[in-house]
Amino acid sequence: MMKPYKYEVFTAEIEKQIYSGILQENDRLPSVRDIKEKYKLSTSSVQSGFEYLMIKGLIRSNPRSGYFVTGIQEENIPELRTKLPPVVRDEVFMKNIMLTSKRTLESSSFNTAMPGDLLIPQKLILRTMQEVIREKGAALLRYYPSNGLEALRKHIAKQMGTYGCALNPEEIIITDGALQALTIALKSVTKSGDVVAVESPCVFSVLEVLAHLELKVIEIPVHYKTGFDTEYFQKICKENKICALITTPNFHNPTGVVMKDETKKEILSIAEIHQFCIIENDMYSDLYFGEQRPRSIKSFDKKGIVMMYSSFSKTLAPGIRLGWLYAGDFYAKSERVRFALGRTVSPIYQELVLKLLQGSSYERHLRSFREKLNQQAVQVLEALRKFFPEEAYFHRPLGGYSIWGQLPENTDMKRFYQYCEEHQILFTPGNTFSFTDKYHYHFRIVFAERITPESIVLLKNAGRKAKELQF
């Protein structure tokens, strides 16, 4: 605390009297001698006090007459009227963000592909985070290695090795979530104007990354039985110089389809022949409902042409922004791109995930998580098939978060979505999953939120409305 000036014993009193109106404009103040004697101050302290009051504009000095009150001067402050241009927003982008991310009541949120509060292991995460803070302390406030914590990279490589996927931990980069990993991978093997192949339908966030990087896109249809139209893909590769393929072979978002192993090998062969990179999204592979985790394309890769990325936001909590990219032969370029996007990933998230992976709690959580997701998938699928038109199709998921539905082509989809929005039944329209309009009658249903009796009633009402809107 600053030591007060000696003159403040009298200047504070004078200020108080001026502001309260006791001292009026042109009133004469006591002399230097009078104040000096009253407050037991030196002449220099009293003069400093009067100078302070003059600087504040409260008093003035008249030569040979003393000091007088000037009154409180109203400061003439001009009103700030700067007009800023309106913020330019991309209306289509903002609409799609709302369609894929808006959350209201849990019982009506069928559009956000992330675990709801019921499925997030809150106590486990918060308890482990507290342990990390106690153990690491101030070290969490410093930079971590730009490519990520070494122990975490080794553990990820060890874990993937148990799935038949050999990864060198020195070629893994820890990222701020999956989208950053995808961005790094794409910037490592493409430049503006290059042609990239993606599955169709394709999640909106991936399409937005491609648009931002100014890449040309060719969409390859997803097949319910095999997972991918390899025949069409071969034709496309012969007619175009493809620089990369982005694919989610296991529990594809939004369809939930799992690509057959034969199809994975065929895609790998096509990429080898035409010499381009495969960027594999492995985010949903841990969310299988069957006996074992499906194999990745990377597990069949002998030539080093597959990059793979994943994230813990889908299995733990959406707020944990921690993902990883296996860059392999493309590591040198990927590391530079990663550094340009940010010096390091949050230390506390890295330490948190590492601690969870080192113990058995994460695997126990995954088993419980998969069981709950499976139960909810069954509930939602049963309701959809029961209440919606008989001609509608809803694909049974074998893992992941979503069900892909298609209504009959004689359905008034505009009125259907209007009804759903009015009643807070949040599906994601199919057109957000493509640069084309080929999915006009499709929509995605996410079952990662808590399914309640109220949720089923909402699905029943939506199904009844879909039946009424046949023409």
Side-chain angles (χ1 to χ4, degrees):
M1 186 175 178
M2 291 183 63
K3 185 178 180 180
Y5 291 106
K6 292 180 180 180
Y7 61 69
E8 288 181 15
V9 294
F10 83 91
T11 57
E13 182 63 26
I14 291 175
E15 283 188 76
K16 181 179 178 181
Q17 291 181 18
I18 291 173
Y19 284 115
S20 65
I22 296 174
L23 287 173
Q24 300 287 322
E25 187 174 355
N26 294 323
D27 282 354
R28 184 173 181 169
L29 297 177
S31 67
V32 172
R33 181 182 298 173
D34 291 340
I35 290 178
K36 176 182 174 182
E37 291 177 358
K38 181 179 179 179
Y39 293 98
K40 309 301 181 187
L41 295 172
S42 65
T43 300
S44 62
S45 291
V46 176
Q47 289 176 334
S48 295
F50 278 129
E51 288 173 4
Y52 162 78
L53 292 172
M54 285 193 291
I55 291 171
K56 292 194 71 173
L58 296 176
I59 67 173
R60 68 179 187 275
S61 172
N62 288 354
R64 300 188 194 84
S65 300
Y67 295 94
F68 296 82
V69 176
T70 60
I72 302 173
Q73 303 296 319
E74 292 292 335
E75 191 174 358
N76 185 22
I77 303 175
E79 186 175 352
L80 187 64
R81 292 185 178 274
T82 303
K83 291 193 71 173
L84 297 174
V87 177
V88 178
R89 309 298 292 272
D90 184 324
E91 294 300 326
V92 173
F93 171 76
M94 295 306 298
K95 178 183 177 183
N96 287 339
I97 283 287
M98 294 293 286
L99 290 172
T100 58
S101 305
K102 182 180 179 183
R103 300 181 77 177
T104 53
L105 300 174
E106 275 196 353
S107 59
S108 61
S109 294
F110 299 104
N111 69 326
T112 308
M114 60 186 183
D117 290 345
L118 177 70
L119 303 180
I120 293 174
Q122 296 182 26
K123 291 182 180 178
L124 171 63
I125 292 172
L126 295 176
R127 183 180 68 245
T128 308
M129 190 173 287
Q130 289 171 345
E131 292 173 3
V132 165
I133 292 171
R134 284 198 302 269
E135 293 170 6
K136 300 298 177 179
L140 297 170
L141 304 179
R142 305 188 185 108
Y143 280 139
Y144 267 36
S146 60
N147 61 342
L149 194 61
E150 182 181 10
L152 178 58
R153 290 185 281 111
K154 285 183 176 180
H155 206 92
I156 290 170
K158 179 181 177 182
Q159 186 179 44
M160 293 303 295
T162 63
Y163 308 138
C165 192
L167 305 182
N168 180 353
E170 295 301 317
E171 295 171 344
I172 292 175
I173 297 172
I174 303 301
T175 65
D176 282 308
L179 275 186
Q180 187 184 77
L182 172 62
T183 301
I184 294 168
L186 282 169
K187 288 178 73 68
S188 300
V189 295
T190 66
K191 62 183 182 303
S192 176
D194 282 348
V195 180
V196 173
V198 299
E199 294 160 323
S200 184
C202 179
V203 67
F204 164 71
S205 55
V206 172
L207 297 178
E208 191 59 32
V209 168
L210 293 167
H212 175 70
L213 296 178
E214 298 180 333
L215 296 168
K216 297 176 182 178
V217 175
I218 295 179
E219 299 184 29
I220 313 298
V222 168
H223 281 184
Y224 290 134
K225 291 184 178 179
T226 64
F228 196 81
D229 191 335
T230 52
E231 185 177 338
Y232 180 69
F233 186 48
Q234 282 182 321
K235 179 176 179 294
I236 289 299
C237 290
K238 289 176 182 177
E239 297 173 352
N240 301 271
K241 179 173 173 49
I242 303 296
C243 293
L245 165 68
I246 303 169
T247 177
T248 308
N250 298 328
F251 316 121
H252 172 259
N253 185 4
T255 65
V257 168
V258 179
M259 195 182 290
K260 289 184 177 296
D261 283 354
E262 293 76 14
T263 306
K264 294 171 183 174
K265 293 175 184 177
E266 192 173 354
I267 288 175
L268 193 57
S269 176
I270 295 170
E272 289 174 357
I273 292 170
H274 294 278
Q275 298 182 333
F276 60 81
C277 171
I278 295 176
I279 303 173
E280 181 177 11
N281 177 358
D282 197 54
M283 280 198 296
Y284 301 98
S285 296
D286 282 334
L287 303 179
Y288 55 92
F289 299 158
E291 294 298 319
Q292 62 183 12
R293 192 185 200 268
R295 290 192 64 171
S296 63
I297 297 176
K298 181 62 187 173
S299 68
F300 300 112
D301 180 23
K302 306 299 182 186
K303 301 288 182 66
I305 64 170
V306 179
M307 284 195 276
M308 171 186 277
Y309 69 94
S310 189
S311 166
F312 292 93
S313 64
K314 301 298 185 185
T315 54
L316 283 173
I320 296 178
R321 307 310 303 160
L322 190 137
W324 56 270
L325 168 69
Y326 180 72
D329 292 348
F330 309 95
Y331 182 83
K333 181 70 179 292
S334 297
E335 185 180 34
R336 294 179 66 185
V337 175
R338 168 67 189 89
F339 188 86
L341 293 176
R343 178 64 176 81
T344 187
V345 176
S346 167
I348 192 168
Y349 287 158
Q350 293 191 62
E351 295 286 2
L352 167 68
V353 171
L354 174 61
K355 197 170 186 66
L356 289 172
L357 293 178
Q358 287 175 330
S360 60
S361 55
Y362 180 67
E363 283 299 324
R364 288 201 306 272
H365 156 67
L366 277 181
R367 287 195 293 271
S368 172
F369 192 23
R370 287 194 293 263
E371 185 178 341
K372 290 175 183 175
L373 279 177
N374 193 5
Q375 291 171 354
Q376 298 200 156
V378 170
Q379 284 181 275
V380 172
L381 187 64
E382 182 180 356
L384 291 168
R385 290 179 172 175
K386 180 178 180 181
F387 299 125
F388 277 73
E390 288 185 14
E391 303 84 358
Y393 176 76
F394 297 97
H395 189 73
R396 178 184 294 278
L398 300 176
Y401 279 170
S402 58
I403 294 171
W404 186 239
Q406 180 178 2
L407 293 182
E409 293 188 4
N410 62 339
T411 306
D412 188 333
M413 295 303 293
K414 183 177 180 181
R415 290 177 62 192
F416 174 71
Y417 288 130
Q418 283 177 343
Y419 172 85
C420 290
E421 185 174 353
E422 289 169 2
H423 293 82
Q424 294 296 301
I425 309 170
L426 304 180
F427 302 129
T428 308
N431 283 343
T432 66
F433 297 96
S434 174
F435 288 127
T436 72
D437 61 354
K438 64 186 295 185
Y439 301 111
H440 180 70
Y441 295 98
H442 294 73
F443 60 98
R444 184 188 68 179
I445 308 98
V446 174
F447 46 82
E449 293 281 11
R450 179 176 55 175
I451 304 301
T452 65
E454 291 77 17
S455 307
I456 302 303
V457 170
L458 290 171
L459 291 175
K460 180 179 180 179
N461 293 340
R464 185 184 67 244
K465 192 64 178 179
K467 291 177 179 177
E468 293 175 1
L469 295 175
Q470 308 291 296
F471 57 84

